[in-house]
Amino acid sequence: MADARTGTPSNQVENLPYDEREEDYQEFEEYDEVTKPANRPFYKRRKYWIFCAILTVIIVAVAVPIGLFVILPKVAQTILNNSKMGFQSIQITNPTNTSMTMSMNGKLSNTGPFSANIKFPEPIEVYYGETLLGTMRLPDAKASGGSGDLIADANFNIADEAAFGSFSADMMSNEKFTWKLKSTVTIVALGRTVNDLKLDKDLDVLGMGGFPGVEILKFDLPSDAAPGQGINLVIDTAMNNPSPIGVTLGTIVLDIGFNGTQLGQVRATGASLLGNSQSILNLTGTMIPQTTPEGLATVSSLFSAYIAGASSETTARGVSVLPDGINEVGWLSIGLKSMILKVNLKSPTPLNIIKSITLGPMGMNWTNTDAYAPLANSPGVVAGFEMPFGFSLNVTQVQNSMTVIYNNKSIATINAAEWGSAVTTKDANGTAINFALPPTPFAIAADSHADFDDFVNKLTVGATQPFTVSGIAGTVAMTPIGEVRITGIPFKSDVALSGLQGLKTDPTVINKLTVIGGTTAGLQIALDLTMTNPSQLTIDTGLGDSAVVTFGMVYQGDNVGTVIFPTLDLAPGVNNITAGALFTPTGTAGGQALLQQYMTNQVSVVDIFGSTSSSGIAPLAAGLKDVQLSSNMPGNPAQLLLGTALTILDDTGKTGIAMASVTVNNPFIPGLTIKSIKSTVEYNGRALGAIDIPELTISVAGMTQQASQPLPLSMDLSIDSLLSLMIDQAKVNNLNAEPIIALGKMAKDPTVKIPSSVFAGFNLPTFVKAAMAGLKVDVTMSVDVLVGEYATSLSLVQKGVPTATDDTILKLLPIVGTPIAQAIVDLATLTFDSVMINSPAETDFTTNINGLIGNTGPFDADITFPSGSGVAWINGGNTVSIGQIAMPTVNAKADIGAKLALTNVPFHVTSGESMGAFVGYSLQAESFDWEVTATNMTVIAMGAPIPGIHMTKKVTLKGFNGLKGLSVEKYDLPSNDPNGIHLVLTASLVNPSNVGIEMGTVEFTNEFQGQDIGFVKTAGLALLPSATTPIAMEGTLTKQTSEAGLQALGDMFRLALNGGSPNLIVRGKSVTPASGPVSWLSSAFASLSMNVTLPSLGKQDIITGITLKTMTLDFTGPNPYSVMTSSDNIEANYHIPFAFPLSITQVAEDMNIQLPLGNSVANLKLPMGPAQTISPGLLKTGYTNQPLKVVDGQHEVFNQFSKILTTGPGVQFYLVGTADTVAETAAGAITIPGVAVSVQSTMVGMNLNAQPAAITNISVAGGTPEYLIIKQNVVLQNPSGLTVKVGKVSFDIMYSGIMMGKAVVSDMVLAPGANTLPAEFHLAPSDSHVRDAFLSGFVAGMTFNLNIQGGPDSTAVESLHEAMQSVKTSASITGITDKLIGTGSTAVANIWNMLQLTSDRITPVQVMIYNPFDAPLFIKSMYADTIWDGKPFGTVNQEVGMTVPPKSSQLSPVVYMKSPKGIEFMGTLLPFMLKYPQLIALQTADVPFLIKSQITAVVGGENGYTGNVQYAQADAIFGVKISFDLKPPGAVLPPALGGPAPVPGNNTTTTATTGTADPSATPTSTPLPVEATTTSTPDSTSASPTVSPTAATTVAAVAPAGPIKKRQEASILETGPLDQSPEQIEAWLKAMVNNLAVNEGLAAPY
């Protein structure tokens, strides 16, 4: 309805911004009607001016407070928001796990135009990201002119140690970070104090950035650490900190590394990092020993780079921070641990550690084709060196590459790149490396050839030659950290070589001179020289044309030839050298004189000169050109004439001409040809004859003697001359007529003893022949000769030339009769040294006989046997004829007799039976006797034959004595035969008899241990007398069918393969000479039996390799050092020294594991079991449940063995023992016991540390007060063939270096491949912060990278302690993803409580909590922030005390959420109510909240494991309802919501019209229209309404009303929202808030 007088809608009061009640109008007079006043101008009205005055006062009264109380705070807040804060330095001291002291020096800027005092009444909250790090209090600060200083020493209290540790890691690593500072600020400005200003400011601070540009100021390794600990290490480091934040650290510990290898650990005490400056850390520690090739290689490269002055990027990783030197500060340690410093290690200057080089004896070898690249070598180079460090060092190998500097110019390089051995010595002069320079090219630079020529020249003629070497060396040294290979060591040193001094220090001696050839140019001479090299330089020109060295040869001023060295090889000291010379005597006086001196054995002094052409090697020629030597040339001691022979012709007496033959000795190697001769022959000064032949040819081959053709000799035949010659010669030979007298005595008495000396030279010719023996004459001659092809002349005088005469001067011979000859034969003796029977047959064969007919008299004789001789065997007292020999003529010598050397003498068997008996006897007997007879012999003595002589002699010969000397030297079993194994023997048969025989093909049977094991035979066998006969035999080890035979064969193999010598009995089986069987020989051979020993093959490595492809080790038994083992796949490589095929079918072993070889660690005995030969030389076997027993005293070695198998890639060891085998062969199934085994084997390790483990099937199964029980499966990869049964094992679980607890595997069995092991993880970190962070991440589904490592108590098995302790692997564990807040959570909010402004807003809540664990979960307390639409909605913080069963959901007891008080919360509540309008209709709304909680929970029930879990869950659905209970006094509740109905009366009633209801609303949610009754007093006047912008959109605007008469208009407060539109609900809620505020005495906020 509209007012009838004004036309104003009656519902305009709804536009007022406050609740309008009847009492509001009581101060006004009520009028029933309005009286219109008289009209006059408004400015003349008194009320107008009164109104203006009042309005002015009101404006002033309102504006000033507004400016002071409303505008100033807003301006101050704006300035605070826009101001900037920065710190020049923040120094952290006194750090603990919960606090620190911060000394800060900062600046405030952009603080506005006014001077102000800034106060911080509340602690400053410091956030990093969304995490509160801690709080601190700041002192007051002053700002003026837009800036100010902020200087404080503040105590910083850490709120979250784990978070602060994470922050400290970022602070140290990042280039910058941002702090958010939150607090309340009070500003005093313009005389006013403005409180409760909000500080919410980001503070950008430079981080430490990983400390860029870290410098090492000092790096020292002063000494050895304790034995086995490495090297003491000292490092001074400059840390550049770009951040204003500094920290007092105290003691810090760092791990030092390089290229992934840990070098050691260092620590600094009293350490402090200053902000914005450089800090010096004095670090000390040890460089630890390296035990892997990779670690040693890394350390080697580091040392090499440092010594060479190169830069190496090392790393320093934080380990811990101990401010007080004892206790660790966690957040500092976390920060330090997260940081990896990259530090360049470089020596300030390259280190000259090689101080000097001394060359010992040195070789210069021109053995290659390049004259300017000779090979240099030296066996004794000494390098003095000095390390910059003090630790012990022993160099064992060196390499080097050097440059030779001569006259300040680099002329050559010597690159000895191969490593050679070295010896380190120490003495008073320091440390030296002694090593050899191997043959290495002395490579001369192309532009330095002339320099090298000069160098060689001075070295050749001078006493010493200095030069300089520089280059790069490498060493291998033993150090306390292991064997280090240091390369790239620079060096430079002055050195010197002693010179050759022109080879003049000692004379050059010609030891031997030999003429070896003659050409038209001259005589070719070979020289054997002794030359002294005074230097330590060895020169070798190699081979070939370029190796030749020549010198000129001068005698008496004439050039007489050239000395030629095919190669010059001079070593230090005395050298015996072979050289050559070309001698040219013809044409010069000096040459002829030198030749005459030489041929007459006289010494001559010869000069030798070098020249520029002395060598084809240019630098060597430059050195030799200035060499000048003198030497004594020896003469030739050989005689040209060795003798002459004189022959008297039948007519010499008439002509005076005899014939002489000259024996010429050629002392030269080339041939000697005499072209003319003129000579005279004298004896004792008397002429005997002369020879004069101008042309002839006598050719004598080199180094031989040659008799010339007969030459006519004119003789002096006068009686005086001949008698004088005979008389003088008789005196010379002491001859007389006694021999003839002696023959007469022998004729009378044959037994007379006449010394043979009586007949020396006599021999029954004439006395003349005896007298002429030993004739020597003097010869003077002149000859023209050719030596080779060189023509020259010789004039010689040679005295005492032997001259021979012959029987031609004998005309009459004395005759000695037959009696003398027979007497001599009777007294003679006959012996046979050897008899050889050739080609035996039944009746005839030939023989070779060696022997002696002794005591044949004092002169020579020839004996013939025209009728042959008979042979009979003297058998006891019987003489049995066995054959007839056709004897040839034999020659007897005086006092010696006739030596018999007869071959192929026919022998005729006179009786086969007797011959068989004789041979059989001789094969076994040590000796036997023959009787040899002969008739009609002829003896030729004293120049005449003596016939009719006969002889009977007994001869004793050695028997064969069983042929015990048969020796097998070598044997082989190369293949199979049809009935066994083929046998090949190489033997020798020692024949003790001096009778030999050609036996032909023979066959023997072989017996061992009484068993016939086979046979051998050979063809063409000939037993030589008293000789060793080699025999090659072949046969068969025949197949054995009896146990005894198989055992014998097996024992024989065992002996042979173990290096023994089996003893066999060899029996004669058959013999067949080339002509066929011989009965007398076969019967004798069948009786032969010999003991034979097979030669040792040496101890054979039959088993050459054993590979344990699979193996089960069961450590769960009672004795940790008696491990039960099994294997189904053992492969053994075997090799026998024979090629015949065999297959091993069974094997037993008794093996010792040795580490190293010779040190037995454990024993494994395997019984006989099946085996399979899977390929030639390879067998496979296996076994089950046999103990591996560790040797007493070897437990520690076995522990290491187990450790390597557990975490290493594998281990090499030795298997030493014996094996018994059963081998299937063509000779049967042979058991070969006791085969020695010593092999190196490799067992692949499980290498558990090589790849991370996997963790699956994670289940939180319970808890105790000490730990949380997490059951899981751990998957470990075992790449080996090992199966290891360990039993119960526990591992330490580490997270970020913190011990988290132990994982226990109750029965650990690791099989090859992937192993899924049920494990129980006992989570029990000692740090509660770590515990809570882990649990929080776990329930949030985070993945944690864990380190799994063994510890001293990982296993109770003693032998596995070290193995399990060495396990260091990693694994990731992912938490649960189940949501802990489930469907069914409820919250019931009291509307009055939520809308009031002065008190905390409390809402009862029940949370549906899901327990994701497999154990009861006791919720002890809960702290939760509830966030809706990104805005804080409330906080729950109270004890809960509920238990949730495993894998179940349960509604919590009622807990109370506290929402913020004050008007600000309306900014959250109003949108919330608008979002869920059904709440007004008392309906439940499912509302998603973000819950950020911290829950104190106990896993496993109330007595389980306690932890504080931070948990956040987005979109946690709560069923939210509102309650209108407990309405406060004065609160208005519409009837539709349970309020009172309107009271009827005289008041004007207006009906509020609303818009159309939401058609989508349910009937219960749509409130009915409500009539609101408004009463106005007669004197009421309407107040100017204040209209909410929101409300104005739904309700028609109302113009200011005139005076109202007795009316009240219905308000939304009374009617409630007319529908669920946002506008209605918002207007109603604001009206409710206003109402409640007014009732509480506050101004209505809306």
Side-chain angles (χ1 to χ4, degrees), residues 509-529:
V509 178
I510 301 176
N511 301 309
K512 182 179 180 182
L513 185 153
T514 304
V515 178
I516 61 173
T519 68
T520 56
L523 294 177
Q524 296 170 321
I525 297 175
L527 300 172
D528 182 0
L529 306 177

Side-chain angles (χ1 to χ4, degrees), residues 467-497:
F467 59 97
T468 302
V469 292
S470 68
I472 300 295
T475 65
V476 174
M478 292 304 300
T479 72
I481 62 172
E483 185 179 79
V484 176
R485 188 179 296 264
I486 305 174
T487 58
I489 303 172
F491 63 87
K492 186 173 184 180
S493 177
D494 293 331
V495 298
L497 287 175

Side-chain angles (χ1 to χ4, degrees), residues 782-861:
S782 177
V783 294
D784 292 329
V785 298
L786 284 176
V787 180
E789 297 180 358
Y790 188 73
T792 189
S793 298
L794 295 175
S795 296
L796 299 174
V797 175
Q798 187 170 331
K799 296 184 178 293
V801 177
T803 302
T805 59
D806 59 15
D807 290 343
T808 58
I809 65 170
L810 303 177
K811 299 299 181 181
L812 298 174
L813 297 176
I815 298 174
V816 178
T818 300
I820 297 175
Q822 183 63 56
I824 292 174
V825 170
D826 292 341
L827 294 174
T829 62
L830 175 63
T831 59
F832 287 170
D833 294 329
S834 67
V835 176
M836 182 66 193
I837 300 173
N838 304 320
S839 304
E842 283 292 337
T843 58
D844 292 282
F845 52 86
T846 62
T847 63
N848 300 337
I849 300 175
N850 291 287
L852 177 68
I853 301 176
N855 196 26
T856 57
F859 42 77
D860 297 342

Side-chain angles (χ1 to χ4, degrees), residues 653-677:
K654 295 179 180 180
T655 63
I657 303 297
M659 302 301 292
S661 176
V662 180
T663 300
V664 179
N665 175 41
N666 182 359
F668 310 135
I669 291 177
L672 176 67
T673 303
I674 299 176
K675 304 300 290 183
S676 70
I677 183 170

